[in-house]
Amino acid sequence: LIQSIEEKERQKRHAELYALRARIQPHFLYNTLNSIRMLAILQQSTHIAKLIQSLNKLLHANMKLDSELVSLEDEIRLLKDYAALMDLRYTNVFGMEWDIAEPAKKAAVPPMLLQPILENAIFHGGKGLERKLHIIVSASLEEDGRTLLIGIRDDGAGFEEGAFDVTNSSRDDGGSSHIGLGNVRDRIRLRFGDEYGLSMQRMDGMTHVALRMPYIPFERGNGE
């Protein structure tokens, strides 16, 4: 039992470190971007200043990835900042719709959990489309109030063969383009148990990615 607990903690830390891997000189980038933002404000470039502020928020969240849990409300706020930056890069390629139930906003979730899923929807869902991609982000509690359900769905091109297996196999395939989805699945399962996780399916012309976690009311410092 002790060995099993130790192995689970090792796997959990490995999954967290995978998510932390991109944190190259985050403090330097954060401070530099803040300086650029102030310069943009002084030159009355308010749109540029707003976008830099969004990027700054994402970097700041990345620097705190090793914190245990954040509120879903804060996670959605960061996801909107990320969507704004992606819209800057791919102008008018996708549109967002948000359907977040009020009780769900207070749920505690692992930080930076949703960004890889939205990134996947934009990159893979929008591939080859000659129209605007529509993405819907939703969150709600099950009727018993004990389970949090988060969904990201899009009306894009769908996913290639084998992508569904990534979200259900016991471990990631390092060569998979959907490795981010597998990492999200692992972070949920290792923290909350194998009965929770991520599922993906194609239904009614839309790709549905669903996250299922226990509902834990967020409190500052509630950690584990």
Side-chain angles (χ1 to χ4, degrees):
L1 178 60
I2 292 172
Q3 288 178 341
S4 175
I5 293 172
E6 287 178 347
E7 176 62 18
K8 185 172 182 179
E9 286 299 314
R10 187 193 66 78
Q11 292 178 358
K12 175 182 169 183
R13 189 60 185 160
H14 177 75
E16 297 291 351
L17 287 174
Y18 176 90
L20 294 171
R21 194 167 60 183
R23 299 197 317 180
I24 301 172
Q25 300 285 349
H27 291 281
F28 170 78
L29 289 172
Y30 180 79
N31 292 331
T32 302
L33 283 170
N34 198 47
S35 298
I36 296 172
R37 182 176 70 89
M38 294 305 298
L39 184 61
I41 291 172
L42 290 172
Q43 295 183 357
Q44 298 183 343
S45 302
T46 54
H47 182 61
I48 295 174
K50 186 177 180 180
L51 290 169
I52 291 175
Q53 187 176 27
S54 294
L55 182 54
N56 247 346
K57 289 177 182 177
L58 289 171
L59 280 172
H60 190 63
N62 239 6
M63 287 153 54
K64 292 187 173 181
L65 257 179
D66 50 353
S67 63
E68 291 298 337
L69 298 169
V70 298
S71 70
L72 180 61
E73 187 172 23
D74 287 342
E75 178 76 356
I76 292 297
R77 191 177 295 117
L78 283 173
L79 198 65
K80 290 181 178 180
D81 287 329
Y82 176 75
L85 290 169
M86 294 300 287
D87 187 52
L88 173 67
R89 183 176 176 184
Y90 303 102
T91 306
N92 209 35
V93 167
F94 66 93
M96 298 292 304
E97 182 180 337
W98 306 89
D99 182 19
I100 313 298
E102 197 63 33
K105 292 180 180 179
K106 304 306 178 185
V109 298
M112 296 293 285
L113 195 70
L114 304 180
Q115 179 269 333
I117 303 173
L118 180 56
E119 180 181 28
N120 185 78
I122 295 170
F123 286 151
H124 296 282
K127 191 178 295 183
L129 282 188
E130 296 182 357
R131 55 174 174 79
K132 194 170 183 177
L133 177 70
H134 186 56
I135 303 172
I136 304 170
V137 179
S138 61
S140 61
L141 303 182
E142 285 189 346
E143 290 185 4
D144 60 4
R146 296 180 179 179
T147 305
L148 172 67
L149 300 174
I150 303 173
I152 297 181
R153 60 189 190 272
D154 67 81
D155 62 352
F159 45 84
E160 64 268 22
E161 185 177 354
F164 180 79
D165 297 334
V166 173
T167 65
N168 290 279
S169 60
S170 60
R171 60 185 298 177
D172 283 330
D173 173 6
S176 172
S177 60
H178 291 271
I179 192 168
L181 296 181
N183 180 252
V184 170
R185 172 211 61 201
D186 289 347
R187 292 178 68 196
I188 295 173
R189 286 183 178 177
L190 288 168
R191 182 176 294 276
F192 301 118
D194 290 342
E195 65 268 35
Y196 302 103
L198 179 150
S199 62
M200 182 165 64
Q201 61 178 325
R202 185 74 178 173
M203 183 173 60
D204 299 328
M206 299 191 77
T207 299
H208 295 249
V209 178
L211 280 67
R212 189 171 182 270
M213 289 171 279
Y215 173 66
I216 303 171
F218 177 75
E219 297 177 5
R220 297 292 173 188
N222 63 353
E224 293 286 345

